[in-house]
């Protein structure tokens, strides 16, 4: 309860001490949970020791099954769509999966982007310290799944004293020269089955997990921390944009939504609230690099970050792993890649212009952006007026999508009503 109370204090009053106290209490809560899990395991072992039959079953599991690694998903057959023929060979399956997950974006019309010269940019300290590197390496879990061509983070942590100066010099060189090493851009991607699907013939029933280079991961985490600090210090993004920002979590996003609804409800004039939820299809796969870098420039971001991001996005390579086989490396030129943590904050810059246009309508409207999920809240005394306002906002979104090569999934549109007295309003009004 105290953690929750401290979280509310920070959210409402933005007191840094409350946030630090919340983190301390949250760590304490996690330690208690871990201790309780350990005590529960020991209790189970004690009960097993009393039953002779159960203890032998446990011993057999520990000796045989517990030592075996889980097998990867086996693809018996695969096809692009319902009308296509089944594919059984490894090379043909690779082609289907690559078309599904790594389809290159079409050329975006960027003629509306004018050449601009930003004389005043936000100051950026390009020097990475040894303390930053140490802290980041220790923060990453020691036994994360690793690339077959890479070393584990546990080995990196064990040899940190000998390697810290070399790693710091390497990362500083990458930032100063605004270059992301080619070796850092190579990943291996495991294809896994999505849970609770009726069949696994269609490629849509599979998902990806990327195995990243550990040193690349450390450098990206450092750059994310730097970029997040700059965003918060200089208010580069709208307060309506969540995720991948310092202290902006899912619970805080939901709390903000609840506060907005209750604020409207508490007005003397009785309003009804409609929320239109939009989702950008394959948001990270279809991002225009030109527009993204232009938005970073317009937000007065340092040239170090812009040019490093340009290098980070270019000439990426990955291979797919499934059926206990590995495909050849394939170049990926036209996506940010959703599995990378840095993708979220870059996408917030990419769609910042959309949030600004929606907020500029100067009507009873609020926008809540959770990366590629955009929620538009409109309140009024009459539902008909709300629907007209939502139509205007949707037109703005549609125009933005046309110029940014984005698509909103119409099947994922959701319209939510918030009211205490539904009989007072015409809830059957449609957009």
């Amino acid at each position: 309860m105290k953690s929750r109370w401290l979280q509310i204090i920070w959210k409402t009053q933005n007191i840094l001490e409350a946030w630090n106290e919340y983190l301390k209490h949250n760590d304490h809560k996690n330690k208690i949970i871990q201790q309780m899990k350990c005590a529960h395991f020991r209790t189970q072992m004690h009960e097993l020791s009393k039953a002779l039959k159960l203890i032998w079953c446990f011993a057999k599991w520990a000796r045989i099954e517990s030592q075996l690694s889980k097998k990867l998903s086996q693809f018996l057959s695969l096809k692009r769509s319902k009308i296509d023929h089944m594919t059984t060979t490894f090379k043909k399956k690779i082609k289907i999966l690559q078309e599904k997950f790594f389809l290159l974006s079409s050329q975006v019309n960027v003629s509306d982007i004018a050449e601009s010269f930003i004389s005043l940019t936000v100051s950026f300290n390009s020097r990475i310290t040894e303390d930053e590197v140490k802290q980041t390496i220790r923060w990453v879990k020691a036994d994360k799944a690793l690339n077959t061509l890479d070393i584990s983070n546990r080995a990196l942590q064990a040899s940190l004293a000998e390697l810290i100066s070399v790693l710091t010099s390497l990362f500083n060189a990458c930032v100063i020269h605004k270059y992301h090493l080619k070796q850092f851009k190579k990943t291996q991607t495991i294809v896994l089955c999505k849970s609770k699907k009726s069949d696994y013939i269609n490629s849509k029933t599979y998902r990806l997990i990327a195995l990243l280079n550990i040193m690349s991961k450390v450098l990206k985490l450092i750059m994310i921390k730097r970029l997040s600090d700059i965003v918060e210090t200089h208010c580069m993004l709208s307060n309506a944009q969540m995720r991948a920002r310092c202290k902006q979590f899912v619970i805080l996003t939901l709390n903000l939504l609840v506060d907005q609804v209750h604020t409207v409800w508490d007005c003397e004039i009785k309003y009804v609230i409609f929320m239109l939820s939009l989702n950008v299809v394959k948001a990270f796969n279809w991002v225009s690099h030109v527009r993204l870098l232009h938005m970073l420039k317009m937000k007065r971001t340092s040239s170090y970050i812009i040019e490093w991001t340009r290098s980070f996005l270019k000439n990426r390579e990955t291979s797919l792993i499934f059926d206990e086989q590995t495909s050849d490396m394939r170049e990926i030129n036209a996506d940010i890649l959703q599995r990378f943590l840095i993708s979220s904050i870059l996408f917030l810059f990419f769609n910042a212009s959309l949030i600004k246009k929606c907020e500029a309508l100067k009507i009873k409207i609020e926008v809540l952006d959770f990366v590629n999920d955009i929620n538009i809240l409109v309140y009024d005394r009459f539902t008909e007026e709300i629907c007209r306002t939502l139509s205007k906002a949707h037109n703005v979104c549609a125009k933005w999508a046309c110029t940014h090569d984005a698509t909103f999934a119409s099947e994922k549109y959701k319209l939510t009503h918030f009211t205490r007295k539904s009989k007072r309003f015409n809830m059957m009004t449609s957009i």
Side-chain angles (χ1 to χ4, degrees):
M1 288 298 293
K2 190 170 183 180
S3 296
R4 173 71 174 165
W5 176 70
L6 289 168
Q7 189 184 39
I8 292 173
I9 290 178
W10 176 82
K11 182 174 71 71
T12 55
Q13 303 178 22
N14 201 20
I15 301 175
L16 183 60
E17 290 76 9
W19 175 255
N20 293 331
E21 196 68 20
Y22 162 74
L23 292 178
K24 187 186 298 183
H25 280 274
N26 199 45
D27 290 341
H28 180 64
K29 179 186 70 174
N30 292 336
K31 287 180 182 178
I32 292 176
I33 293 173
Q34 189 65 31
Q35 290 172 0
M36 292 178 67
K37 285 183 178 179
C38 183
H40 177 68
F41 177 78
R42 289 175 178 174
T43 303
Q44 284 186 320
M45 293 300 101
H46 179 69
E47 292 175 355
L48 283 173
S49 65
K50 294 180 180 179
L52 185 61
K53 185 177 180 180
L54 291 177
I55 193 66
W56 281 112
C57 291
F58 179 74
K60 183 179 179 181
W61 171 84
R63 187 173 64 254
I64 302 174
E65 296 182 17
S66 67
Q67 307 299 322
L68 299 177
S69 58
K70 292 184 179 180
K71 293 184 178 180
L72 298 176
S73 306
Q74 297 294 314
F75 299 8
L76 299 179
S77 57
L78 203 63
K79 62 180 182 179
R80 289 185 180 87
S81 61
K82 293 181 180 179
I83 60 175
D84 289 334
H85 297 291
M86 292 288 187
T87 300
T88 55
T89 62
F90 180 74
K91 288 185 177 180
K92 290 183 178 179
K93 291 178 188 177
I94 283 288
K95 188 175 181 181
I96 292 175
L97 292 171
Q98 286 178 341
E99 289 176 358
K100 161 65 179 172
F101 295 110
F102 304 124
L103 183 64
L104 296 182
S105 172
S106 58
Q107 293 296 322
V108 186
N109 183 6
V110 293
S111 58
D112 59 313
I113 297 179
E115 287 293 331
S116 56
F117 177 73
I118 309 297
S119 59
L120 183 61
T121 60
V122 172
S123 61
F124 176 76
N125 182 11
S126 60
R127 183 177 177 274
I128 297 175
T129 63
E130 291 188 359
D131 289 338
E132 278 185 283
V133 179
K134 284 182 182 177
Q135 186 178 3
T136 306
I137 291 175
R138 288 168 180 167
W139 182 80
V140 179
K141 291 184 179 179
D143 296 314
K144 293 281 285 185
L146 67 151
N147 191 313
T148 55
L149 305 175
D150 196 13
I151 60 174
S152 68
N153 193 43
R154 182 176 292 278
L156 198 62
Q157 290 176 351
S159 56
L160 189 57
E162 291 77 15
L163 295 177
I164 186 62
S165 59
V166 177
L167 292 176
T168 305
S169 300
L170 174 63
F171 296 155
N172 275 314
C174 290
V175 176
I176 292 171
H177 294 286
K178 307 168 186 176
Y179 181 72
H180 198 65
L181 293 177
K182 185 177 180 180
Q183 189 63 32
F184 288 177
K185 301 178 185 180
K186 293 182 179 180
T187 63
Q188 291 182 319
T189 307
I190 299 178
V191 186
L192 297 177
C193 301
K194 292 181 180 178
S195 60
K196 299 179 181 179
K197 298 294 180 180
S198 57
D199 64 72
Y200 292 91
I201 298 174
N202 198 310
S203 59
K204 292 182 179 180
T205 57
Y206 295 91
R207 62 189 179 91
L208 304 181
I209 292 182
L211 306 180
L212 309 177
N213 181 292
I214 183 60
M215 288 185 286
S216 171
K217 190 183 297 184
V218 171
L219 176 58
K220 283 182 288 188
L221 288 171
I222 293 173
M223 295 301 289
I224 289 170
K225 178 66 169 58
R226 294 282 187 92
L227 184 56
S228 297
D229 290 343
I230 291 173
V231 166
E232 299 305 321
T233 304
H234 299 277
C235 301
M236 288 185 172
L237 297 174
S238 169
N239 290 329
Q241 293 181 280
M242 302 291 176
R243 183 85 182 270
R245 293 180 61 182
C246 182
K247 307 164 190 172
Q248 304 274 349
F249 301 128
V250 178
I251 293 178
L252 292 182
T253 307
L254 294 175
N255 287 338
L256 178 59
L257 173 61
V258 172
D259 288 348
Q260 287 176 335
V261 171
H262 280 277
T263 301
V264 175
W265 279 353
D266 292 339
C267 294
E268 293 183 5
I269 303 175
K270 300 305 178 184
Y271 291 116
V272 61
I273 307 170
F274 280 19
M275 182 175 74
L276 178 62
S277 300
L278 310 176
N279 178 269
V280 182
V281 180
K282 295 184 179 179
F284 298 91
N285 294 56
W286 297 96
V287 167
S288 166
H289 294 177
V290 177
R291 287 199 178 274
L292 172 61
L293 296 171
H294 175 71
M295 285 304 302
L296 287 171
K297 185 177 181 181
M298 295 307 295
K299 293 291 183 178
R300 299 182 296 112
T301 311
S302 170
S303 61
Y304 286 102
I305 295 179
I306 295 175
E307 294 305 321
W308 179 85
T309 303
R310 190 194 304 274
S311 176
F312 166 79
L313 295 171
K314 286 171 56 178
N315 304 324
R316 305 201 63 85
E317 292 183 346
T318 190
S319 60
L320 293 177
I321 301 175
F322 67 94
D323 282 352
E324 299 182 354
Q325 299 182 65
T326 304
S327 70
D328 296 331
M329 283 285 179
R330 182 182 190 275
E331 187 173 341
I332 309 168
N333 292 322
D335 61 12
I336 294 183
L337 298 179
Q338 188 168 357
R339 56 187 173 269
F340 294 146
L341 183 60
I342 198 171
S343 304
S344 297
I345 194 166
L346 289 179
F347 192 80
L348 291 180
F349 277 96
F350 179 71
N351 71 354
S353 59
L354 173 60
I355 306 304
K356 186 177 180 180
K357 289 178 181 179
C358 289
E359 291 176 341
L361 291 175
K362 295 182 180 180
I363 47 183
K364 297 171 183 175
I365 186 170
E366 294 288 340
V367 183
L368 193 60
D369 174 29
F370 198 74
V371 191
N372 62 320
D373 295 313
I374 299 167
N375 303 285
I376 304 172
L377 283 82
V378 179
Y379 60 96
D380 204 290
R381 294 171 60 189
F382 306 103
T383 56
E384 293 80 5
E385 185 62 31
I386 289 177
C387 290
R388 282 193 288 269
T389 303
L390 283 175
S391 296
K392 292 179 183 178
H394 184 266
N395 290 337
V396 171
C397 295
K399 289 179 181 178
W400 176 87
C402 291
T403 57
H404 288 69
D405 197 23
T407 305
F408 289 102
S410 57
E411 68 276 8
K412 293 184 179 180
Y413 280 19
K414 288 184 180 179
L415 185 63
T416 310
H417 309 92
F418 298 96
T419 179
R420 286 173 174 163
K421 295 182 179 180
S422 57
K423 293 182 180 180
R424 178 179 293 179
F425 305 99
N426 180 13
M427 309 304 289
M428 302 303 294
T429 309
S430 59
I431 301 175

